Amino acid sequence: MHMKETRAKMAGFTTSLRNPTYLQSSFSMLLFFASWGIWWSFFQIWLTSETTGLALTGAQVGTVYSVNSLATLVLMFAYGAIQDRLGVKKHLAVVLAAVTALVGPFVTWVYQPLLQSNFMTGVILGAIVLSIGFLAGVGLFEALTERYSRRFGFEYGQARMWGSFGYAVVALAAGFLFTINPMLNFWIGSVLGLVHLALLLFSRAKGEPVPKRPVEGIMSPASTPSFREMLGLFRLPSLWLIIIFVMLSWTFYTVFDQQMFPEFYTGLFDDPATGQRVYGILNSVQVFFEAAMLGIVPIIMRRVGVRASLLMGVAIMFVRILGCALVDDPLLVSAIKMLHAIETPMFILPVFRYFTLHFNPALSATLYMVGFQVSAQIGNVVLSTPLGALHDRVGNEQTFITIAIVVLLAGVYGFFALKKDDQQVDGDPFLRHSKTAVDA
């Protein structure tokens, strides 16, 4: 049975490679994440470094992330609604790619000078530009690719994997470029964004759409939902249950991983430049493994189910955060950092599948934006500044332990609040391999 499943997966991947829309979507994900990762992987270090950055305090960094999240929050509501109306059209994606191509000039001549001379003006303007192109854009590109995967018959995880691969490639160079001149990272991001823009402008989806078929008496919903249907999502108690789950788990983990970990890790080395270079290499290796896991996690989900996979992802979050609180050896912390390669796919992919399983798949972009991305951003708005101030006051260990406890409680809450895979199946049904074998 295991050999048959493996051969089936390999056959499916080979089929995807012959799918023009899969190839275009994969290359689009690769370029977007590369244009983002080349500077985002060192953004927190750039904000805090006294030698190569802006030397901001933890509270100031928290303010930057908080306002970024607020702008992202507003945009994601709009992005989800607009893209669900557009279906598989790329008009909005083209606009976002044009903004990513301008990140180098913007940061060099506008963002950095304003952060140094008029902090809040710089924070607000930066939040608008960076959120339009990247911070809200990532959810849009992921939702659009997931929609292509269902429309043109390929595995979303296999396309998203190339995004992680692109991030990994640039992260390997980012640490070395950063020690030379941090602005190089932003300008290379612009070049990659320009290539991505060209791809979106001169390519179009090809191939035969997968026909909509009834599944166990349930017809696939219309591809273009009404605005009333989108607003109706907020009246669903089941959506609010997962929003709370995301805010208590993914949000706290994101604040830890993006706002605190980079400075914590590079501070473990005697020389900051050495720490930054090693962090770039570690980040790259971690994301390479993450890319591989994006191809493996769908197999795991087929074995254990969507809900169980999601709870496993939260358990890994807890272990990683607590581990960083308890050890300060660079080698051990590096090993713990590698858990991120497992945790991210074990959370992102099950969350996507949870929405399309328990809700109307035609609203997938809105659901993903509201239920996952927006709820995470609300948490960032509320938590970034106070957690940054807490970090300034009590240091890494106590802050990390506090975050780990909250994530643990989120896992307990999720165990009782998340619906099982066979409960309230209002979307595309999910069958585990074991159940398929029994039914056969």
Side-chain angles (χ1 to χ4, degrees), residues 167-328:
Y167 196 106
V169 170
V170 298
L172 186 61
F176 295 92
L177 293 170
F178 187 86
T179 58
I180 298 172
N181 187 339
M183 291 300 106
L184 288 174
N185 298 61
F186 293 103
W187 279 93
I188 293 176
S190 279
V191 173
L192 293 168
L194 190 62
V195 177
H196 186 206
L197 176 61
L199 172 70
L200 293 175
L201 287 173
F202 298 108
S203 66
R204 63 177 182 175
K206 297 178 181 178
E208 290 296 324
V210 176
K212 294 183 175 67
R213 296 175 296 177
V215 181
E216 297 182 0
I218 301 173
M219 287 298 296
S220 297
S223 60
T224 305
S226 67
F227 190 67
R228 183 188 296 268
E229 287 179 298
M230 296 177 189
L231 292 178
L233 290 172
F234 293 98
R235 295 194 296 269
L236 298 176
S238 54
L239 178 61
W240 286 103
L241 289 176
I242 192 166
I243 284 176
I244 293 172
F245 173 72
V246 170
M247 291 179 66
L248 292 175
S249 56
W250 183 257
T251 300
F252 275 85
Y253 179 79
T254 301
V255 172
F256 157 79
D257 188 56
Q258 296 181 358
Q259 189 173 320
M260 300 175 183
F261 182 80
E263 183 185 17
F264 160 71
Y265 183 80
T266 55
L268 299 175
F269 295 82
D270 295 332
D271 177 30
T274 301
Q276 291 160 9
R277 287 193 292 268
V278 174
Y279 178 71
I281 296 171
L282 174 65
N283 216 25
S284 178
V285 173
Q286 170 245 298
V287 182
F288 271 118
F289 277 96
E290 180 183 314
M293 286 301 300
L294 282 165
I296 296 172
V297 166
I299 302 175
I300 297 175
M301 276 200 294
R302 284 292 177 189
R303 280 289 175 189
V304 304
V306 175
R307 176 177 174 271
S309 298
L310 201 46
L311 293 175
M312 288 168 61
V314 175
I316 297 170
M317 284 184 197
F318 168 74
V319 171
R320 187 197 161 192
I321 299 170
L322 185 63
C324 289
L326 300 179
V327 302
D328 59 3

